[in-house]
Amino acid sequence: MNFNRFISIVFLAGFVSFFSCNQQSGTTPGKSMGKSPVDYVNPYIGNISHMLVATSPVVHLPNSMVRMSPSRSDYTGDILAGLPLAQRRMGSFALCPMTDKTMQMQVKPAYYYDLEKVTPYRYFVFLTDVDVQVDFAPSHQSALYKLNYGQDGDKYLALKINSGELKEENGAISGYETIANGIKVYVYMDFSQKPENVEISEKSALMTFNKSVGSVTARYGISFIDAAQAQKNIQREIKDFDVDKLAATGREVWNEALGKIQIEGGTENEKTVFYTSLYRTYIRMIKLSEDDRYFSAFDKQVHNDDGSAFYTDDGIWDTYLAAHPLGVLINPKVEADKVNSYIRMYEQSGWIPTFPGTTGDNHVMNGNHAVAIIWDAYIKGLRGFNLETAFEGCKKSIMEETMIPWRKAPLTELDLFFQKNGYFPALHPGEPETCPVVNPGEMRQTVAVTQAASFDDWCLAQIAKELGKTDDYAFFSKRSYNYRNLFNPATGFFHPKDKNGKFIEPFDYIFSGGQGARDYYDENNGWTYRWGVQHNIADLISLMGGTEKFIAGLDEMFITPLGTSRWVFYRQLPDQTGNVGQFSMANEPSFHIPYLYNYVGQPWKTQKRVRTLLKQWYRNDLMGVPGDEDGGGMSAFVVFSAMGFYPVTPGIPAYNIGSPLFSRIKVDVGEGKYFEIEAVNCSEDNKYIQSATLDGKEWNKPWFTHDIAKNGGKLVLVMGNKANKSWGLGGVPPSAEQSSN
């Protein structure tokens, strides 16, 4: 067939179907000018990074096992290394169309590609060197690949694996791939056209199709239980080989998920950034329950889920701050199941994980922040999990497992020192490491570890209090103030101490700490960790000498220069991008900082700063994300902040008010209730709150409770272009010290 004629026919059929699907108006909430929420999603936002990990365009349904992302080095790469069945620690299965059998000798054929089109529910790409048009649509645990071969002649299709086993039965392929920790991912695949021949080798199944066939659709299921379950997943989710129908179903699923938050007003770019951010919060965690059963890597057994789905794949250091609180607000049943999954992981392994994945606990970063997501969910009214068991698991992990970052090990001499002295001891520059357990690439992170432990201890104390465990409450409440042990009153910063209780000197709060400042902090310098007490802002204000000094410190952070050239600064601190002075928009420990003005009588500065940060760093373009997005952590900050409120302290059921981007926001909080925000006169210039009412009554506080949102309240903000410095002075947001008093 003539190449140009083939392109015309395939693209006319495929893209007309694709765009007609995109233009369905339906009755989906949140649409504007004929657009539905999913039409605003641009998976390419952030695909080129400022410094470190870029975002990936992921084609998947919310929280699902099948998460397909183009298999390439980065956005600018010209080559695809096959067509993945499921990405992100889900195995290395790759589907490889061929027109020349000698391509089978390649581990994974490299394809030049063009004409790529991505939405959350569909993927198109043209493989130029084999003249094949690819059309992909996912379901939850299964998917379809339609391959249109553009020329007469030989037509082959290979399913490639790295390590495992494949077999053929009546033209269908089944088998498994072994990934990390000995975990097996299973596949079952059949085809719209039965292969004329199937050749099985150690790492491949090669299917030969009749030369007259114009297209082949591969239908496959993924499972962590066995290949038979993978086949059942197909039978449950995909009845035929119709990619258009499957994509239309996926579109409906996404519109339902994204439509939980309806917005009006704002620019088209702001809506695109908003719904793209919301879409990214659904990448993690993933639901592993398959017909009410799930395989757990934490004991390598198959379990019944007893009506509570099992979820895994999370990075709590990133997601506990905003992604999990967002789930509590808009998907409480799913969030309760996620919490219950953490408790099951403890029951199965003996430990609460820090970064649970499909292959077990990856034990990444620092802190034991699962206790935060558990307490935050519980205090906001979620149930369906055993709080007593959660307390038991969290207490064991906090008291019996090392706090050394990126290590899973019993207590070390550093942990025993912490338990006795209330801080993690630091080394002086050039002093050799004495603890062999310390990860040489991550170091001790002494201030970051001490602050993280203080917050986790506060959360655990609240659970103890709820359960009537008086001694535990007193013990962990006292430990929640351990951050005080590293506060330097002479400088107003948190400052590492050695084992003798002496501050490390000389010291530079920008540059001390080596690569990523990890000797003392983590990925960020001392300016970020100056504010790392989000559970007890009231006490932090007191430590810093009161309201005026606290304000001055915040102001100073946003105007203090890098202190050297950009290339020198980012060579040492590559995670601390998105800078405004020393503030880093690109890293999770900074998210709460712009909202701290609410605690010291200057909420207008929070309103200005949040709006400015959203405009500066979150944009509808390839570099529109300032740092490592980390599976929804950073995106949840955008979703909350664009709505005009943010959960500064997970575990305190309250939200700080910022400045909404949109004139109307309507949040589906479940049970037929909606929390609404109306921002009268909202615009790019009108970012300052002039007055407010909450449920029809005058409101002069820069915060509101979770119960207001959960019960379907309405917040009306009248906006203007100049700050009303008298609004929001009717009461500061709650923090631990106020709550205990």
Side-chain angles (χ1 to χ4, degrees), residues 511-674:
F511 296 113
S512 290
Q515 185 63 29
R518 287 180 175 87
D519 289 345
Y520 311 125
Y521 306 107
D522 185 11
E523 298 189 348
N524 303 267
N525 61 27
W527 276 94
T528 296
Y529 286 90
R530 190 180 194 184
W531 317 98
V533 190
Q534 72 262 41
H535 65 292
N536 205 342
I537 308 302
D539 189 50
L540 180 61
I541 294 168
S542 177
L543 282 177
M544 294 182 68
T547 296
E548 295 306 316
K549 289 187 177 180
F550 191 86
I551 293 171
L554 282 171
D555 290 345
E556 187 182 9
M557 180 183 199
F558 289 106
I559 62 173
T560 298
L562 297 183
T564 186
S565 64
R566 292 173 64 84
W567 71 269
V568 170
F569 182 91
Y570 291 125
R571 182 175 63 186
Q572 181 183 348
L573 295 161
D575 297 88
Q576 194 171 322
T577 51
N579 280 87
V580 179
Q582 288 297 323
F583 173 80
S584 169
M585 188 69 265
N587 212 263
E588 288 78 5
S590 299
F591 289 170
H592 70 293
I593 296 173
Y595 290 90
L596 295 183
Y597 288 108
N598 283 350
Y599 294 78
V600 285
Q602 293 192 340
W604 66 273
K605 286 186 178 178
T606 284
Q607 295 155 32
K608 177 183 178 181
R609 183 60 64 187
V610 171
R611 277 286 199 100
T612 302
L613 290 168
L614 290 175
K615 181 179 179 180
Q616 289 170 335
W617 293 113
Y618 298 99
R619 306 179 310 274
N620 181 19
D621 61 54
L622 285 166
M623 295 187 72
V625 178
D628 188 351
E629 202 287 324
D630 281 319
M634 190 169 295
S635 291
F637 168 85
V638 177
V639 172
F640 269 120
S641 295
M643 290 194 294
F645 60 101
Y646 184 76
V648 166
T649 308
I652 291 181
Y655 301 101
N656 271 248
I657 297 174
S659 178
L661 286 180
F662 308 104
S663 58
R664 292 181 183 272
I665 301 104
K666 188 175 182 180
V667 184
D668 183 349
V669 295
E671 299 181 353
K673 298 176 181 178
Y674 294 86

Side-chain angles (χ1 to χ4, degrees), residues 330-404:
I330 65 174
N331 291 302
K333 174 60 172 71
V334 171
E335 191 63 31
D337 286 346
K338 290 178 179 179
V339 170
N340 201 33
S341 298
Y342 272 100
I343 297 170
R344 287 168 165 172
M345 294 171 197
Y346 160 65
E347 292 174 322
Q348 294 160 5
S349 69
W351 302 99
I352 294 281
T354 61
F355 261 57
T358 55
T359 60
D361 185 12
N362 296 296
H363 217 77
V364 175
M365 304 303 292
N366 61 62
N368 286 281
H369 296 321
V371 66
I373 70 165
I374 293 168
W375 175 242
D376 188 60
Y378 186 88
I379 193 61
K380 291 176 180 174
L382 271 61
R383 297 297 184 265
F385 51 88
N386 191 316
L387 192 65
E388 182 77 44
T389 305
F391 176 82
E392 173 189 295
C394 291
K395 181 179 178 181
K396 179 182 178 184
S397 295
I398 285 173
M399 295 301 297
E400 300 180 25
E401 192 174 29
T402 185
M403 300 162 65
I404 294 173

